[in-house]
Amino acid sequence: MKRDPLLWAALAAVLVVLASAEYELAVACGFGTYVAAGVPAALDVYALAALRARRDVLAVVLTLIAVNAASHLVEVGLLPVSVPLVVAVSAVAPLVLWRVHRLSEVRPAAPEVTEPVTVERVEDDQPEPVALVARPLPEVVPASARMLPVVARPEPVEVATSVPAETGRQVVTEVVTLTPAELRRKASKLHREAVRSTNRPVTIKTLQDELSLSRREATELRREIVGDRS
C-alpha cells in the first residue's frame, strides 16, 4: 500500500465508522459485550489484507456494505433479528479467517510467454566467393643476369595519305637472364663474325656494347674466347 497520509487517514475514518455499526449488529445478534468487538476487528483485518494483496477488494466492499446496512436496519426496527441473520453474523469470523489465510499465500509468478521468433531465409543470387590460390613467386634473378635492350614492334597508326607520318621506335628494357654458357656462346659468335669480316679477334668494346658487360667482364670473356680459339 502507498504511504500516503491522506489515504491512511481516510481508511482509518472509514474503519471506525463501520466498526461502530458492526459492533452494534453483533450485540443485537447475541454476542457479548467484549466478544462483539471481534466482529468489526475481523472485518477490518480482512479489508486491510485484501487491499495489500490487491485481491478480494470487491468482496470486502460488498461485505462491509451488507453488514453496515443490516446493522442500521436492525437499529431502526426495519429488519427483525432472525435465524438467518444470526447465522450470517456468526459466519463472519470463520469466513474472514479463511480468506485472510488465502490472501497471505504468495501466488507463483506466471511464466512469461514469449512469442516464437520466425527467421526468414533470404536467397542470395550472388555467387559463392572463389578461394584465391597463391601463385608461386618467380625465382630470384641470378647474379649473371644481364639486361639487354629489346626493340618492340611499333603499333600501326592510321595516317592520312596527304600527310606523311613517321612511326618512332619504342625501346623497352627487359631483364633477360643469360647464363655463363649463353654468354660464351654469344661471345663466340661475335668473335667468329669479327674474324670473318676483319680477320681480327673480337674487341672488348664490341662485347661491351652487344652483351651489356662492364669492361672487366668483357675483358675476361674475350680472354676466354680468344684463348680457346688460339
Side-chain angles (χ1 to χ4, degrees):
M1 296 177 63
K2 298 181 179 180
R3 296 181 179 180
D4 188 355
L6 295 178
L7 178 61
W8 282 101
L11 181 60
V14 170
L15 293 179
V16 169
V17 172
L18 295 177
S20 177
E22 295 161 359
Y23 177 80
E24 295 296 337
L25 180 61
V27 172
C29 291
F31 286 80
T33 302
Y34 299 104
V35 178
V39 175
L43 291 175
D44 292 346
V45 171
Y46 181 30
L48 294 175
L51 292 175
R52 184 180 62 180
R54 296 183 181 179
R55 290 184 292 162
D56 283 11
V57 178
L58 180 59
V60 168
V61 172
L62 294 179
T63 302
L64 295 177
I65 291 174
V67 173
N68 193 40
S71 176
H72 290 292
L73 291 175
V74 170
E75 186 68 22
V76 298
L78 296 178
L79 179 65
V81 179
S82 59
V83 174
L85 181 60
V86 174
V87 172
V89 174
S90 302
V92 168
L95 292 176
V96 167
L97 176 63
W98 169 59
R99 291 312 305 163
V100 170
H101 175 70
R102 296 289 296 179
L103 291 174
S104 63
E105 296 178 354
V106 180
R107 288 187 175 182
E112 296 182 0
V113 180
T114 57
E115 298 182 358
V117 179
T118 303
V119 179
E120 296 183 0
R121 182 177 181 181
V122 180
E123 297 294 337
D124 192 357
D125 297 335
Q126 297 181 358
E128 296 182 356
V130 180
L132 299 179
V133 180
R135 295 182 178 180
L137 297 176
E139 297 181 357
V140 180
V141 179
S144 59
R146 298 293 181 268
M147 298 177 62
L148 297 180
V150 179
V151 180
R153 294 183 179 180
E155 298 181 356
V157 180
E158 296 182 1
V159 183
T161 56
S162 59
V163 180
E166 294 183 359
T167 303
R169 299 175 64 188
Q170 182 178 4
V171 179
V172 179
T173 302
E174 181 179 355
V175 177
V176 179
T177 303
L178 295 178
T179 62
E182 292 177 347
L183 287 174
R184 289 176 59 84
R185 184 168 60 254
K186 289 182 179 291
S188 299
K189 182 179 179 181
L190 294 174
H191 178 65
R192 287 194 302 270
E193 292 177 354
V195 171
R196 187 167 50 251
S197 60
T198 63
N199 201 21
R200 293 177 62 83
V202 65
T203 64
I204 297 175
K205 179 66 174 176
T206 301
L207 294 177
Q208 285 184 269
D209 295 340
E210 295 297 331
L211 301 180
S212 298
L213 299 175
S214 64
R215 183 173 182 80
R216 182 178 61 81
E217 294 174 341
T219 302
E220 294 178 358
L221 184 59
R222 182 180 182 279
R223 185 182 299 111
E224 294 179 4
I225 298 301
V226 175
D228 293 344
R229 298 296 179 182
S230 60

